[in-house]
Amino acid sequence: AAGLAGVLDTKGPFTVFAPNNAAFQKLLSAKGNEKLLETLLDDKNRGLLQGILTYHVVPGKVMAKDVVKLANAGTANGQRVDIKFDEKAGTVSIDGANVIATDIECSNGVIHVIDSVILPEQASIVGVAAGAKTFGTLIAAAKAAGLAGVLDTKGPFTVFAPTDEAFAALPAGTVENLLKAENKDQLVAILKHHVVEGRV
């Protein structure tokens, strides 16, 4: 439905953390997700479905013995999945989903089976920063500078984000002064100095 089957039939190689049927059932039966399948299969939401599915795909062939050495891995979605290896228990999780079968070899890669569907972050940089509750001054400054809308676009961007504490450590009156309309150009220059194009 996402138009990705042909991609996964190409040379690759790919590593797929593949949720089994029970994993999808668990997601779809969760409270509030009653219409999720209908939403995801709607043509107008194809991008959302592709984003979720490509979050389960890592470029390259990464066998289980190599997965356990990693703390994270970049996915075809562009975001990273977190990998946790509990050496004592001998278990591996990908973004909290347990790996329940490994090293299913394919002509163009490998499949590791997981027991939950993992979901990429849907919020933008501004949304994530707002949810963290420690970047209020940064968000206010970005809005005053007219940059909040830019950081809500596709990007990707890497932001070296000063916390509220970092802003508070500036000399008294600095932030207030920068937020004045006549100092907008200076504020824009300072904030842009914290942004790098691309996902780093």
Side-chain angles (χ1 to χ4, degrees):
L4 294 174
V7 176
L8 292 175
D9 256 344
T10 60
K11 191 174 180 182
F14 305 105
T15 298
V16 178
F17 293 104
N20 58 16
N21 288 346
F24 276 100
Q25 194 54 48
K26 183 166 67 173
L27 174 70
L28 297 173
S29 61
K31 190 173 181 182
N33 285 355
E34 295 83 4
K35 295 192 174 179
L36 180 61
L37 184 61
E38 184 183 323
T39 300
L40 291 175
L41 294 180
D42 188 323
D43 266 354
K44 69 177 183 229
N45 296 321
R46 181 176 272 207
L48 176 63
L49 181 59
Q50 287 176 339
I52 292 170
L53 295 178
T54 54
Y55 191 59
H56 292 77
V57 179
V58 173
K61 186 176 181 179
V62 190
M63 304 302 286
K65 66 181 175 56
D66 299 311
V67 171
V68 298
K69 298 173 189 171
L70 302 173
N72 54 66
T75 69
N77 164 292
Q79 295 183 38
R80 292 183 308 183
V81 288
D82 290 322
I83 300 170
K84 288 191 178 153
F85 173 46
D86 185 333
E87 197 167 359
K88 191 173 179 183
T91 58
V92 177
S93 66
I94 311 295
D95 269 10
N98 298 307
V99 177
I100 55 176
T102 62
D103 294 347
I104 301 169
E105 294 227 36
C106 313
S107 62
N108 62 343
V110 62
I111 294 171
H112 307 297
V113 183
I114 55 177
D115 68 354
S116 301
V117 177
I118 55 176
L119 300 171
E121 180 57 64
Q122 296 298 326
S124 68
I125 287 172
V126 175
V128 170
K133 309 285 188 204
T134 55
F135 301 105
T137 309
L138 176 62
I139 292 169
K143 286 179 179 173
L147 294 176
V150 175
L151 292 176
D152 260 340
T153 61
K154 192 173 181 184
F157 305 106
T158 298
V159 179
F160 294 96
T163 61
D164 291 338
E165 192 176 30
F167 277 104
L170 290 169
T174 303
V175 174
E176 292 79 2
N177 197 44
L178 286 170
L179 291 176
K180 290 178 181 173
E182 64 266 28
N183 295 325
K184 182 176 178 180
D185 288 348
Q186 186 184 5
L187 179 61
V188 168
I190 290 170
L191 294 179
K192 282 185 173 179
H193 200 58
H194 292 78
V195 180
V196 175
E197 285 190 20
R199 187 191 297 271
V200 186

